[in-house]
Amino acid sequence: MLPLSMSIQRKPPLEGVRVVELAGLAPVPFVGLLLADYGASILRIDRPHPLAHTASSPQPTADLLTRRKSSVAVDLKSVDGCALLEAILADVDVLLDPFRPGMLESFSLSPGNLLSKNPRLIIARLTGFRRDGPFAKMAGHDINYLAVSGILSQLGRTEGPPYPPANVLADFAGGGLMCALGILLALFERTASGKGQLVENNMVDGASYLGSMMRYARKTTLWDRSRGKNLLDGGCPWYDVYLCKDGAYMAVGALEPRFFRCLINGLELPELENPTLREDRANWPAIRERFRLRFLERTRLEWEQIFDRTDACCTPVLDQQELEGNGYKQRLPIGLQASPGLIIDNNQSWTSTGLAPGAGGLDMLRQWFGWQVGREIQIVGGGLIKTNTAKL
């Protein structure tokens, strides 16, 4: 038998999985992007547009997470549009629902109805707040979901208010990534039962779950102080970011004693070698000031050269423009040796061209079902509808 490294590579793990993504922004498109990068076919359902499915394509929507996706325009406020979507969902694997609670039901597309017609369908619903909590009917964004999860209260400097890390934690990590995990779990379970199911996700619970260690650590010395005064939240001088002479930054994470020794050797601060100094939190402000002044003495490049190939846990803070200019190659987050995902081309690493309503969707419907305009479907009012006489 050939070694695994010499064996013939299989197809991407999700090849053949058909996914319908109801158009939204941020977390649900991220789910679709992740599934597409590992081989799934993604069909986004957009609102109707006068130029959709014509030779004069409309402008792309605001959604940037569109790599490897196709689109059809469908008016879900019309009976014919809903009938078309229902016909599509009768023979696909996954539905991605980005809407607030009750919206799908308002289109007469309740999970119960859809599963009765396609028992293998996996319906992934991603909301911000819990569906059964006090905020269930309220609008919100990442910062709001992070706020009521308890995690936001633990982020930020001690001298200021809680500070959100852009919209990464709730939208993408607690929302999109957790939703993708739920879909994969449901696909795995379906191999045994043969049945799909409803996958419920919300960003509050997702963010809270990501913060499990932070929550537990509140009752230990690791995180038992107020925000910004703990080991990993900016309170510790050897786990922080420092300004350099040229206005750039270095990140320090020298938590373990041997790494700390490497750090102070590089900084040429032998007077800080005594471990009792850093064990006493009363000394932390003085140590931070020593670090601050020392980093200001050299440029980031000079510090990079000093700490290169050492275990000081001291690295440059690289910005996105710098990485792009240096030709940094984006890679998929998970490498599967026998069934790898799809390579991210250089022209897709840093720029998204977006996806226009209707782009590539007719080809996708032809590949999935053999449907054609004028036969099974037709274009009416900038959107597709089911042909009344077609046998779908």
Side-chain angles (χ1 to χ4, degrees), residues 8-34:
I8 298 175
Q9 289 186 338
R10 295 186 301 218
K11 298 176 180 179
L14 297 180
E15 183 164 305
V17 175
R18 299 173 178 177
V19 179
V20 170
E21 174 188 317
L22 302 180
L25 291 175
V28 165
F30 180 69
V31 179
L33 177 72
L34 184 58

mmCIF file with all atom_site columns, all heavy atoms in Angstrom, residues 8-34:
data_model
loop_
_atom_site.group_PDB
_atom_site.id
_atom_site.type_symbol
_atom_site.label_atom_id
_atom_site.label_alt_id
_atom_site.label_comp_id
_atom_site.label_asym_id
_atom_site.label_entity_id
_atom_site.label_seq_id
_atom_site.pdbx_PDB_ins_code
_atom_site.Cartn_x
_atom_site.Cartn_y
_atom_site.Cartn_z
_atom_site.occupancy
_atom_site.B_iso_or_equiv
_atom_site.pdbx_formal_charge
_atom_site.auth_seq_id
_atom_site.auth_comp_id
_atom_site.auth_asym_id
_atom_site.auth_atom_id
_atom_site.pdbx_PDB_model_num
ATOM 1   N N   . ILE A 1 8  ? -3.376  8.826  -4.090 1.00 0.00 ? 8  ILE A N   1
ATOM 2   C CA  . ILE A 1 8  ? -4.101  9.739  -4.953 1.00 0.00 ? 8  ILE A CA  1
ATOM 3   C C   . ILE A 1 8  ? -5.019  10.610 -4.103 1.00 0.00 ? 8  ILE A C   1
ATOM 4   O O   . ILE A 1 8  ? -5.783  10.114 -3.284 1.00 0.00 ? 8  ILE A O   1
ATOM 5   C CB  . ILE A 1 8  ? -4.922  8.963  -5.997 1.00 0.00 ? 8  ILE A CB  1
ATOM 6   C CG1 . ILE A 1 8  ? -3.979  8.140  -6.888 1.00 0.00 ? 8  ILE A CG1 1
ATOM 7   C CG2 . ILE A 1 8  ? -5.750  9.922  -6.846 1.00 0.00 ? 8  ILE A CG2 1
ATOM 8   C CD1 . ILE A 1 8  ? -4.703  7.249  -7.859 1.00 0.00 ? 8  ILE A CD1 1
ATOM 9   N N   . GLN A 1 9  ? -4.921  11.924 -4.305 1.00 0.00 ? 9  GLN A N   1
ATOM 10  C CA  . GLN A 1 9  ? -5.753  12.823 -3.511 1.00 0.00 ? 9  GLN A CA  1
ATOM 11  C C   . GLN A 1 9  ? -7.206  12.707 -3.930 1.00 0.00 ? 9  GLN A C   1
ATOM 12  O O   . GLN A 1 9  ? -7.533  12.628 -5.111 1.00 0.00 ? 9  GLN A O   1
ATOM 13  C CB  . GLN A 1 9  ? -5.273  14.264 -3.690 1.00 0.00 ? 9  GLN A CB  1
ATOM 14  C CG  . GLN A 1 9  ? -3.946  14.547 -3.018 1.00 0.00 ? 9  GLN A CG  1
ATOM 15  C CD  . GLN A 1 9  ? -3.578  16.011 -3.090 1.00 0.00 ? 9  GLN A CD  1
ATOM 16  O OE1 . GLN A 1 9  ? -4.060  16.725 -3.947 1.00 0.00 ? 9  GLN A OE1 1
ATOM 17  N NE2 . GLN A 1 9  ? -2.742  16.446 -2.173 1.00 0.00 ? 9  GLN A NE2 1
ATOM 18  N N   . ARG A 1 10 ? -8.076  12.711 -2.937 1.00 0.00 ? 10 ARG A N   1
ATOM 19  C CA  . ARG A 1 10 ? -9.499  12.643 -3.214 1.00 0.00 ? 10 ARG A CA  1
ATOM 20  C C   . ARG A 1 10 ? -10.055 14.031 -3.471 1.00 0.00 ? 10 ARG A C   1
ATOM 21  O O   . ARG A 1 10 ? -9.354  15.029 -3.372 1.00 0.00 ? 10 ARG A O   1
ATOM 22  C CB  . ARG A 1 10 ? -10.214 11.988 -2.029 1.00 0.00 ? 10 ARG A CB  1
ATOM 23  C CG  . ARG A 1 10 ? -9.817  10.534 -1.823 1.00 0.00 ? 10 ARG A CG  1
ATOM 24  C CD  . ARG A 1 10 ? -10.656 9.900  -0.746 1.00 0.00 ? 10 ARG A CD  1
ATOM 25  N NE  . ARG A 1 10 ? -10.545 10.586 0.533  1.00 0.00 ? 10 ARG A NE  1
ATOM 26  C CZ  . ARG A 1 10 ? -10.517 9.959  1.699  1.00 0.00 ? 10 ARG A CZ  1
ATOM 27  N NH1 . ARG A 1 10 ? -10.592 8.647  1.746  1.00 0.00 ? 10 ARG A NH1 1
ATOM 28  N NH2 . ARG A 1 10 ? -10.429 10.627 2.818  1.00 0.00 ? 10 ARG A NH2 1
ATOM 29  N N   . LYS A 1 11 ? -11.319 14.083 -3.783 1.00 0.00 ? 11 LYS A N   1
ATOM 30  C CA  . LYS A 1 11 ? -11.990 15.350 -4.017 1.00 0.00 ? 11 LYS A CA  1
ATOM 31  C C   . LYS A 1 11 ? -12.141 16.103 -2.701 1.00 0.00 ? 11 LYS A C   1
ATOM 32  O O   . LYS A 1 11 ? -12.028 15.522 -1.622 1.00 0.00 ? 11 LYS A O   1
ATOM 33  C CB  . LYS A 1 11 ? -13.351 15.085 -4.645 1.00 0.00 ? 11 LYS A CB  1
ATOM 34  C CG  . LYS A 1 11 ? -13.283 14.394 -6.005 1.00 0.00 ? 11 LYS A CG  1
ATOM 35  C CD  . LYS A 1 11 ? -14.674 14.088 -6.516 1.00 0.00 ? 11 LYS A CD  1
ATOM 36  C CE  . LYS A 1 11 ? -14.609 13.391 -7.864 1.00 0.00 ? 11 LYS A CE  1
ATOM 37  N NZ  . LYS A 1 11 ? -15.972 13.056 -8.386 1.00 0.00 ? 11 LYS A NZ  1
ATOM 38  N N   . PRO A 1 12 ? -12.411 17.408 -2.769 1.00 0.00 ? 12 PRO A N   1
ATOM 39  C CA  . PRO A 1 12 ? -12.667 18.165 -1.535 1.00 0.00 ? 12 PRO A CA  1
ATOM 40  C C   . PRO A 1 12 ? -13.771 17.499 -0.726 1.00 0.00 ? 12 PRO A C   1
ATOM 41  O O   . PRO A 1 12 ? -14.694 16.901 -1.292 1.00 0.00 ? 12 PRO A O   1
ATOM 42  C CB  . PRO A 1 12 ? -13.093 19.538 -2.051 1.00 0.00 ? 12 PRO A CB  1
ATOM 43  C CG  . PRO A 1 12 ? -12.458 19.649 -3.392 1.00 0.00 ? 12 PRO A CG  1
ATOM 44  C CD  . PRO A 1 12 ? -12.469 18.265 -3.960 1.00 0.00 ? 12 PRO A CD  1
ATOM 45  N N   . PRO A 1 13 ? -13.720 17.569 0.591  1.00 0.00 ? 13 PRO A N   1
ATOM 46  C CA  . PRO A 1 13 ? -14.631 16.783 1.439  1.00 0.00 ? 13 PRO A CA  1
ATOM 47  C C   . PRO A 1 13 ? -16.106 17.103 1.258  1.00 0.00 ? 13 PRO A C   1
ATOM 48  O O   . PRO A 1 13 ? -16.951 16.254 1.510  1.00 0.00 ? 13 PRO A O   1
ATOM 49  C CB  . PRO A 1 13 ? -14.159 17.116 2.854  1.00 0.00 ? 13 PRO A CB  1
ATOM 50  C CG  . PRO A 1 13 ? -13.435 18.415 2.729  1.00 0.00 ? 13 PRO A CG  1
ATOM 51  C CD  . PRO A 1 13 ? -12.787 18.373 1.389  1.00 0.00 ? 13 PRO A CD  1
ATOM 52  N N   . LEU A 1 14 ? -16.423 18.315 0.832  1.00 0.00 ? 14 LEU A N   1
ATOM 53  C CA  . LEU A 1 14 ? -17.830 18.695 0.700  1.00 0.00 ? 14 LEU A CA  1
ATOM 54  C C   . LEU A 1 14 ? -18.295 18.729 -0.759 1.00 0.00 ? 14 LEU A C   1
ATOM 55  O O   . LEU A 1 14 ? -19.388 19.236 -1.039 1.00 0.00 ? 14 LEU A O   1
ATOM 56  C CB  . LEU A 1 14 ? -18.079 20.054 1.357  1.00 0.00 ? 14 LEU A CB  1
ATOM 57  C CG  . LEU A 1 14 ? -17.822 20.118 2.866  1.00 0.00 ? 14 LEU A CG  1
ATOM 58  C CD1 . LEU A 1 14 ? -18.102 21.513 3.399  1.00 0.00 ? 14 LEU A CD1 1
ATOM 59  C CD2 . LEU A 1 14 ? -18.662 19.090 3.612  1.00 0.00 ? 14 LEU A CD2 1
ATOM 60  N N   . GLU A 1 15 ? -17.497 18.187 -1.657 1.00 0.00 ? 15 GLU A N   1
ATOM 61  C CA  . GLU A 1 15 ? -17.925 18.177 -3.058 1.00 0.00 ? 15 GLU A CA  1
ATOM 62  C C   . GLU A 1 15 ? -19.217 17.368 -3.191 1.00 0.00 ? 15 GLU A C   1
ATOM 63  O O   . GLU A 1 15 ? -19.347 16.282 -2.636 1.00 0.00 ? 15 GLU A O   1
ATOM 64  C CB  . GLU A 1 15 ? -16.844 17.587 -3.957 1.00 0.00 ? 15 GLU A CB  1
ATOM 65  C CG  . GLU A 1 15 ? -17.221 17.621 -5.430 1.00 0.00 ? 15 GLU A CG  1
ATOM 66  C CD  . GLU A 1 15 ? -16.025 17.414 -6.335 1.00 0.00 ? 15 GLU A CD  1
ATOM 67  O OE1 . GLU A 1 15 ? -15.041 18.169 -6.197 1.00 0.00 ? 15 GLU A OE1 1
ATOM 68  O OE2 . GLU A 1 15 ? -16.072 16.499 -7.174 1.00 0.00 ? 15 GLU A OE2 1
ATOM 69  N N   . GLY A 1 16 ? -20.155 17.917 -3.941 1.00 0.00 ? 16 GLY A N   1
ATOM 70  C CA  . GLY A 1 16 ? -21.455 17.270 -4.107 1.00 0.00 ? 16 GLY A CA  1
ATOM 71  C C   . GLY A 1 16 ? -22.511 17.768 -3.143 1.00 0.00 ? 16 GLY A C   1
ATOM 72  O O   . GLY A 1 16 ? -23.701 17.481 -3.325 1.00 0.00 ? 16 GLY A O   1
ATOM 73  N N   . VAL A 1 17 ? -22.105 18.511 -2.109 1.00 0.00 ? 17 VAL A N   1
ATOM 74  C CA  . VAL A 1 17 ? -23.065 19.069 -1.158 1.00 0.00 ? 17 VAL A CA  1
ATOM 75  C C   . VAL A 1 17 ? -23.644 20.354 -1.745 1.00 0.00 ? 17 VAL A C   1
ATOM 76  O O   . VAL A 1 17 ? -22.912 21.284 -2.092 1.00 0.00 ? 17 VAL A O   1
ATOM 77  C CB  . VAL A 1 17 ? -22.395 19.371 0.201  1.00 0.00 ? 17 VAL A CB  1
ATOM 78  C CG1 . VAL A 1 17 ? -23.371 20.070 1.146  1.00 0.00 ? 17 VAL A CG1 1
ATOM 79  C CG2 . VAL A 1 17 ? -21.899 18.071 0.831  1.00 0.00 ? 17 VAL A CG2 1
ATOM 80  N N   . ARG A 1 18 ? -24.952 20.400 -1.867 1.00 0.00 ? 18 ARG A N   1
ATOM 81  C CA  . ARG A 1 18 ? -25.644 21.560 -2.431 1.00 0.00 ? 18 ARG A CA  1
ATOM 82  C C   . ARG A 1 18 ? -26.159 22.454 -1.304 1.00 0.00 ? 18 ARG A C   1
ATOM 83  O O   . ARG A 1 18 ? -26.888 21.983 -0.427 1.00 0.00 ? 18 ARG A O   1
ATOM 84  C CB  . ARG A 1 18 ? -26.810 21.116 -3.311 1.00 0.00 ? 18 ARG A CB  1
ATOM 85  C CG  . ARG A 1 18 ? -26.393 20.260 -4.508 1.00 0.00 ? 18 ARG A CG  1
ATOM 86  C CD  . ARG A 1 18 ? -27.634 19.736 -5.222 1.00 0.00 ? 18 ARG A CD  1
ATOM 87  N NE  . ARG A 1 18 ? -27.300 18.952 -6.412 1.00 0.00 ? 18 ARG A NE  1
ATOM 88  C CZ  . ARG A 1 18 ? -28.187 18.344 -7.177 1.00 0.00 ? 18 ARG A CZ  1
ATOM 89  N NH1 . ARG A 1 18 ? -29.496 18.423 -6.864 1.00 0.00 ? 18 ARG A NH1 1
ATOM 90  N NH2 . ARG A 1 18 ? -27.807 17.672 -8.244 1.00 0.00 ? 18 ARG A NH2 1
ATOM 91  N N   . VAL A 1 19 ? -25.797 23.715 -1.379 1.00 0.00 ? 19 VAL A N   1
ATOM 92  C CA  . VAL A 1 19 ? -26.159 24.662 -0.320 1.00 0.00 ? 19 VAL A CA  1
ATOM 93  C C   . VAL A 1 19 ? -26.881 25.850 -0.924 1.00 0.00 ? 19 VAL A C   1
ATOM 94  O O   . VAL A 1 19 ? -26.405 26.449 -1.896 1.00 0.00 ? 19 VAL A O   1
ATOM 95  C CB  . VAL A 1 19 ? -24.903 25.147 0.433  1.00 0.00 ? 19 VAL A CB  1
ATOM 96  C CG1 . VAL A 1 19 ? -25.285 26.149 1.528  1.00 0.00 ? 19 VAL A CG1 1
ATOM 97  C CG2 . VAL A 1 19 ? -24.135 23.969 1.023  1.00 0.00 ? 19 VAL A CG2 1
ATOM 98  N N   . VAL A 1 20 ? -28.021 26.206 -0.349 1.00 0.00 ? 20 VAL A N   1
ATOM 99  C CA  . VAL A 1 20 ? -28.749 27.421 -0.716 1.00 0.00 ? 20 VAL A CA  1
ATOM 100 C C   . VAL A 1 20 ? -28.539 28.436 0.396  1.00 0.00 ? 20 VAL A C   1
ATOM 101 O O   . VAL A 1 20 ? -28.838 28.170 1.563  1.00 0.00 ? 20 VAL A O   1
ATOM 102 C CB  . VAL A 1 20 ? -30.246 27.140 -0.925 1.00 0.00 ? 20 VAL A CB  1
ATOM 103 C CG1 . VAL A 1 20 ? -31.016 28.452 -1.051 1.00 0.00 ? 20 VAL A CG1 1
ATOM 104 C CG2 . VAL A 1 20 ? -30.463 26.276 -2.166 1.00 0.00 ? 20 VAL A CG2 1
ATOM 105 N N   . GLU A 1 21 ? -28.022 29.588 0.025  1.00 0.00 ? 21 GLU A N   1
ATOM 106 C CA  . GLU A 1 21 ? -27.740 30.659 0.989  1.00 0.00 ? 21 GLU A CA  1
ATOM 107 C C   . GLU A 1 21 ? -28.687 31.825 0.719  1.00 0.00 ? 21 GLU A C   1
ATOM 108 O O   . GLU A 1 21 ? -28.609 32.460 -0.332 1.00 0.00 ? 21 GLU A O   1
ATOM 109 C CB  . GLU A 1 21 ? -26.288 31.107 0.844  1.00 0.00 ? 21 GLU A CB  1
ATOM 110 C CG  . GLU A 1 21 ? -25.895 32.305 1.688  1.00 0.00 ? 21 GLU A CG  1
ATOM 111 C CD  . GLU A 1 21 ? -24.503 32.815 1.354  1.00 0.00 ? 21 GLU A CD  1
ATOM 112 O OE1 . GLU A 1 21 ? -23.582 31.984 1.186  1.00 0.00 ? 21 GLU A OE1 1
ATOM 113 O OE2 . GLU A 1 21 ? -24.335 34.046 1.265  1.00 0.00 ? 21 GLU A OE2 1
ATOM 114 N N   . LEU A 1 22 ? -29.566 32.096 1.649  1.00 0.00 ? 22 LEU A N   1
ATOM 115 C CA  . LEU A 1 22 ? -30.413 33.275 1.532  1.00 0.00 ? 22 LEU A CA  1
ATOM 116 C C   . LEU A 1 22 ? -29.556 34.500 1.819  1.00 0.00 ? 22 LEU A C   1
ATOM 117 O O   . LEU A 1 22 ? -28.868 34.563 2.841  1.00 0.00 ? 22 LEU A O   1
ATOM 118 C CB  . LEU A 1 22 ? -31.592 33.190 2.501  1.00 0.00 ? 22 LEU A CB  1
ATOM 119 C CG  . LEU A 1 22 ? -32.500 31.954 2.324  1.00 0.00 ? 22 LEU A CG  1
ATOM 120 C CD1 . LEU A 1 22 ? -33.642 31.983 3.341  1.00 0.00 ? 22 LEU A CD1 1
ATOM 121 C CD2 . LEU A 1 22 ? -33.043 31.880 0.905  1.00 0.00 ? 22 LEU A CD2 1
ATOM 122 N N   . ALA A 1 23 ? -29.558 35.463 0.916  1.00 0.00 ? 23 ALA A N   1
ATOM 123 C CA  . ALA A 1 23 ? -28.609 36.572 0.960  1.00 0.00 ? 23 ALA A CA  1
ATOM 124 C C   . ALA A 1 23 ? -28.676 37.338 2.276  1.00 0.00 ? 23 ALA A C   1
ATOM 125 O O   . ALA A 1 23 ? -29.745 37.661 2.777  1.00 0.00 ? 23 ALA A O   1
ATOM 126 C CB  . ALA A 1 23 ? -28.854 37.521 -0.206 1.00 0.00 ? 23 ALA A CB  1
ATOM 127 N N   . GLY A 1 24 ? -27.521 37.611 2.829  1.00 0.00 ? 24 GLY A N   1
ATOM 128 C CA  . GLY A 1 24 ? -27.390 38.392 4.051  1.00 0.00 ? 24 GLY A CA  1
ATOM 129 C C   . GLY A 1 24 ? -26.017 39.030 4.059  1.00 0.00 ? 24 GLY A C   1
ATOM 130 O O   . GLY A 1 24 ? -25.345 39.118 3.023  1.00 0.00 ? 24 GLY A O   1
ATOM 131 N N   . LEU A 1 25 ? -25.572 39.473 5.221  1.00 0.00 ? 25 LEU A N   1
ATOM 132 C CA  . LEU A 1 25 ? -24.256 40.078 5.351  1.00 0.00 ? 25 LEU A CA  1
ATOM 133 C C   . LEU A 1 25 ? -23.496 39.443 6.511  1.00 0.00 ? 25 LEU A C   1
ATOM 134 O O   . LEU A 1 25 ? -24.085 39.084 7.521  1.00 0.00 ? 25 LEU A O   1
ATOM 135 C CB  . LEU A 1 25 ? -24.364 41.589 5.576  1.00 0.00 ? 25 LEU A CB  1
ATOM 136 C CG  . LEU A 1 25 ? -24.869 42.416 4.393  1.00 0.00 ? 25 LEU A CG  1
ATOM 137 C CD1 . LEU A 1 25 ? -25.049 43.877 4.814  1.00 0.00 ? 25 LEU A CD1 1
ATOM 138 C CD2 . LEU A 1 25 ? -23.908 42.330 3.216  1.00 0.00 ? 25 LEU A CD2 1
ATOM 139 N N   . ALA A 1 26 ? -22.193 39.340 6.338  1.00 0.00 ? 26 ALA A N   1
ATOM 140 C CA  . ALA A 1 26 ? -21.244 38.929 7.378  1.00 0.00 ? 26 ALA A CA  1
ATOM 141 C C   . ALA A 1 26 ? -21.343 37.457 7.799  1.00 0.00 ? 26 ALA A C   1
ATOM 142 O O   . ALA A 1 26 ? -20.776 36.598 7.121  1.00 0.00 ? 26 ALA A O   1
ATOM 143 C CB  . ALA A 1 26 ? -21.305 39.879 8.570  1.00 0.00 ? 26 ALA A CB  1
ATOM 144 N N   . PRO A 1 27 ? -22.051 37.097 8.888  1.00 0.00 ? 27 PRO A N   1
ATOM 145 C CA  . PRO A 1 27 ? -21.895 35.732 9.413  1.00 0.00 ? 27 PRO A CA  1
ATOM 146 C C   . PRO A 1 27 ? -22.384 34.615 8.506  1.00 0.00 ? 27 PRO A C   1
ATOM 147 O O   . PRO A 1 27 ? -21.679 33.613 8.313  1.00 0.00 ? 27 PRO A O   1
ATOM 148 C CB  . PRO A 1 27 ? -22.671 35.763 10.732 1.00 0.00 ? 27 PRO A CB  1
ATOM 149 C CG  . PRO A 1 27 ? -23.542 36.954 10.673 1.00 0.00 ? 27 PRO A CG  1
ATOM 150 C CD  . PRO A 1 27 ? -22.875 37.939 9.782  1.00 0.00 ? 27 PRO A CD  1
ATOM 151 N N   . VAL A 1 28 ? -23.580 34.749 7.932  1.00 0.00 ? 28 VAL A N   1
ATOM 152 C CA  . VAL A 1 28 ? -24.084 33.663 7.079  1.00 0.00 ? 28 VAL A CA  1
ATOM 153 C C   . VAL A 1 28 ? -23.292 33.560 5.775  1.00 0.00 ? 28 VAL A C   1
ATOM 154 O O   . VAL A 1 28 ? -22.946 32.451 5.357  1.00 0.00 ? 28 VAL A O   1
ATOM 155 C CB  . VAL A 1 28 ? -25.598 33.817 6.837  1.00 0.00 ? 28 VAL A CB  1
ATOM 156 C CG1 . VAL A 1 28 ? -26.052 32.929 5.675  1.00 0.00 ? 28 VAL A CG1 1
ATOM 157 C CG2 . VAL A 1 28 ? -26.361 33.425 8.100  1.00 0.00 ? 28 VAL A CG2 1
ATOM 158 N N   . PRO A 1 29 ? -22.962 34.667 5.102  1.00 0.00 ? 29 PRO A N   1
ATOM 159 C CA  . PRO A 1 29 ? -22.073 34.535 3.950  1.00 0.00 ? 29 PRO A CA  1
ATOM 160 C C   . PRO A 1 29 ? -20.728 33.900 4.301  1.00 0.00 ? 29 PRO A C   1
ATOM 161 O O   . PRO A 1 29 ? -20.134 33.204 3.477  1.00 0.00 ? 29 PRO A O   1
ATOM 162 C CB  . PRO A 1 29 ? -21.893 35.986 3.484  1.00 0.00 ? 29 PRO A CB  1
ATOM 163 C CG  . PRO A 1 29 ? -23.163 36.654 3.877  1.00 0.00 ? 29 PRO A CG  1
ATOM 164 C CD  . PRO A 1 29 ? -23.528 36.032 5.205  1.00 0.00 ? 29 PRO A CD  1
ATOM 165 N N   . PHE A 1 30 ? -20.257 34.133 5.521  1.00 0.00 ? 30 PHE A N   1
ATOM 166 C CA  . PHE A 1 30 ? -19.011 33.494 5.952  1.00 0.00 ? 30 PHE A CA  1
ATOM 167 C C   . PHE A 1 30 ? -19.179 31.981 6.036  1.00 0.00 ? 30 PHE A C   1
ATOM 168 O O   . PHE A 1 30 ? -18.279 31.222 5.666  1.00 0.00 ? 30 PHE A O   1
ATOM 169 C CB  . PHE A 1 30 ? -18.581 34.057 7.307  1.00 0.00 ? 30 PHE A CB  1
ATOM 170 C CG  . PHE A 1 30 ? -17.301 33.468 7.832  1.00 0.00 ? 30 PHE A CG  1
ATOM 171 C CD1 . PHE A 1 30 ? -16.093 33.740 7.220  1.00 0.00 ? 30 PHE A CD1 1
ATOM 172 C CD2 . PHE A 1 30 ? -17.303 32.625 8.939  1.00 0.00 ? 30 PHE A CD2 1
ATOM 173 C CE1 . PHE A 1 30 ? -14.910 33.188 7.695  1.00 0.00 ? 30 PHE A CE1 1
ATOM 174 C CE2 . PHE A 1 30 ? -16.139 32.076 9.425  1.00 0.00 ? 30 PHE A CE2 1
ATOM 175 C CZ  . PHE A 1 30 ? -14.925 32.355 8.795  1.00 0.00 ? 30 PHE A CZ  1
ATOM 176 N N   . VAL A 1 31 ? -20.336 31.521 6.501  1.00 0.00 ? 31 VAL A N   1
ATOM 177 C CA  . VAL A 1 31 ? -20.617 30.085 6.521  1.00 0.00 ? 31 VAL A CA  1
ATOM 178 C C   . VAL A 1 31 ? -20.554 29.534 5.100  1.00 0.00 ? 31 VAL A C   1
ATOM 179 O O   . VAL A 1 31 ? -19.906 28.511 4.837  1.00 0.00 ? 31 VAL A O   1
ATOM 180 C CB  . VAL A 1 31 ? -22.008 29.794 7.125  1.00 0.00 ? 31 VAL A CB  1
ATOM 181 C CG1 . VAL A 1 31 ? -22.278 28.286 7.104  1.00 0.00 ? 31 VAL A CG1 1
ATOM 182 C CG2 . VAL A 1 31 ? -22.119 30.332 8.530  1.00 0.00 ? 31 VAL A CG2 1
ATOM 183 N N   . GLY A 1 32 ? -21.218 30.221 4.178  1.00 0.00 ? 32 GLY A N   1
ATOM 184 C CA  . GLY A 1 32 ? -21.203 29.779 2.792  1.00 0.00 ? 32 GLY A CA  1
ATOM 185 C C   . GLY A 1 32 ? -19.810 29.770 2.204  1.00 0.00 ? 32 GLY A C   1
ATOM 186 O O   . GLY A 1 32 ? -19.434 28.856 1.455  1.00 0.00 ? 32 GLY A O   1
ATOM 187 N N   . LEU A 1 33 ? -19.014 30.781 2.529  1.00 0.00 ? 33 LEU A N   1
ATOM 188 C CA  . LEU A 1 33 ? -17.633 30.852 2.047  1.00 0.00 ? 33 LEU A CA  1
ATOM 189 C C   . LEU A 1 33 ? -16.829 29.655 2.536  1.00 0.00 ? 33 LEU A C   1
ATOM 190 O O   . LEU A 1 33 ? -16.090 29.015 1.767  1.00 0.00 ? 33 LEU A O   1
ATOM 191 C CB  . LEU A 1 33 ? -16.990 32.149 2.528  1.00 0.00 ? 33 LEU A CB  1
ATOM 192 C CG  . LEU A 1 33 ? -15.518 32.351 2.159  1.00 0.00 ? 33 LEU A CG  1
ATOM 193 C CD1 . LEU A 1 33 ? -15.375 32.634 0.675  1.00 0.00 ? 33 LEU A CD1 1
ATOM 194 C CD2 . LEU A 1 33 ? -14.914 33.492 2.975  1.00 0.00 ? 33 LEU A CD2 1
ATOM 195 N N   . LEU A 1 34 ? -16.959 29.346 3.819  1.00 0.00 ? 34 LEU A N   1
ATOM 196 C CA  . LEU A 1 34 ? -16.222 28.232 4.400  1.00 0.00 ? 34 LEU A CA  1
ATOM 197 C C   . LEU A 1 34 ? -16.613 26.909 3.740  1.00 0.00 ? 34 LEU A C   1
ATOM 198 O O   . LEU A 1 34 ? -15.753 26.090 3.390  1.00 0.00 ? 34 LEU A O   1
ATOM 199 C CB  . LEU A 1 34 ? -16.485 28.178 5.907  1.00 0.00 ? 34 LEU A CB  1
ATOM 200 C CG  . LEU A 1 34 ? -15.723 27.142 6.728  1.00 0.00 ? 34 LEU A CG  1
ATOM 201 C CD1 . LEU A 1 34 ? -14.222 27.324 6.570  1.00 0.00 ? 34 LEU A CD1 1
ATOM 202 C CD2 . LEU A 1 34 ? -16.106 27.240 8.194  1.00 0.00 ? 34 LEU A CD2 1
#
